Amino acid sequence: MRSAGSLSTLRRFAAEAPAAVERCDRCASPVSPSHAHRYDASRRRLECVCARCAPSAAPWRLVARRVELVGDLGAETDVWMGANLPVRLAYFVVREDGEVTASFPSPAGPTLSRIDPADWASLADRVPRLRTLAPDVEALLVNRVNGARDALVVSIDVCYHLVGLLRARRFGDLLGGDVKNFLADLGREVRGSARG
């Protein structure tokens, strides 16, 4: 059994450990917190890249950071989400071939579900911005957890960040502090860009 002294030493060591430096996935150079990302849709793989490695060649596409509020999705969307998805937090991506998928958290990690094209077309009729989503690299993020009514167009890296937060938590604890803070930060970013 460890003594209280050894536990406090471990805690102090962990607190004093330097923060991990993020690195470019291509050349391993250190990158800033606001570094760029690029995405390979065929493998659904996101990479952190430095300025030198950011120019993309097929199949990679540069991801433009985006967080944008969209209009009210309407009450029908709540029914549709409830009927097709087992959770109240999901992101929807239009693929290059026009297929629409929803990703949502599950005990095994993110689960992918195909969305009926007629349902998506009906939603896009109400919210025209959805017709201009950049294929594969932009998504509609819908948050209905705890009565929220958030609908945002976000870049795919935002979705991957959220998935990482959710995977780090126990399934079912969607409202852990880190997830709530992340969603709140997205809301502040939207309000800030609307004022600017």
Side-chain angles (χ1 to χ4, degrees):
M1 183 174 185
R2 287 189 178 130
S3 70
S6 63
L7 284 177
S8 64
T9 301
L10 286 173
R11 285 189 189 113
R12 190 173 62 248
F13 175 75
E16 293 170 359
V21 174
E22 282 195 87
R23 298 197 172 272
C24 175
D25 288 327
R26 305 303 295 169
C27 71
S29 297
V31 292
S32 72
S34 59
H35 62 270
H37 294 104
R38 63 184 201 166
Y39 187 67
D40 176 356
S42 64
R43 295 185 296 160
R44 293 191 173 103
R45 180 176 168 162
L46 188 72
E47 286 188 337
C48 299
V49 288
C50 66
R52 187 175 69 241
C53 295
S56 298
W60 296 97
R61 294 180 58 193
L62 195 60
V63 176
R65 168 76 179 184
R66 180 167 321 287
V67 177
E68 172 188 332
L69 189 63
V70 296
D72 184 7
L73 300 181
E76 300 90 346
T77 306
D78 289 343
V79 173
W80 172 64
M81 281 192 69
N84 290 298
L85 300 173
V87 296
R88 309 300 282 163
L89 179 67
Y91 64 92
F92 301 81
V93 176
V94 178
R95 304 291 172 198
E96 193 71 49
D97 63 4
E99 177 185 57
V100 180
T101 59
S103 294
F104 53 92
S106 78
T111 299
L112 199 67
S113 175
R114 287 183 173 78
I115 300 302
D116 183 286
D119 287 341
W120 184 258
S122 174
L123 182 60
D125 285 345
R126 288 194 305 276
V127 185
R129 171 61 176 93
L130 301 182
R131 295 197 184 280
T132 63
L133 285 179
D136 299 312
V137 295
E138 284 187 336
L140 171 66
L141 174 63
V142 178
N143 174 18
R144 294 293 192 254
V145 176
N146 248 16
R149 297 196 53 81
D150 301 325
L152 307 167
V153 170
V154 298
S155 47
I156 197 70
D157 55 347
V158 171
C159 299
Y160 275 53
H161 187 111
L162 180 58
V163 166
L165 290 175
L166 291 169
R167 287 185 77 174
R169 302 199 66 76
R170 191 171 39 88
F171 180 72
D173 187 13
L174 295 180
L175 292 180
D178 49 358
V179 175
K180 280 198 299 190
N181 290 340
F182 179 75
L183 293 170
D185 287 347
L186 288 179
R188 281 191 290 277
E189 187 171 334
V190 166
R191 289 191 297 276
S193 63
R195 283 194 300 269

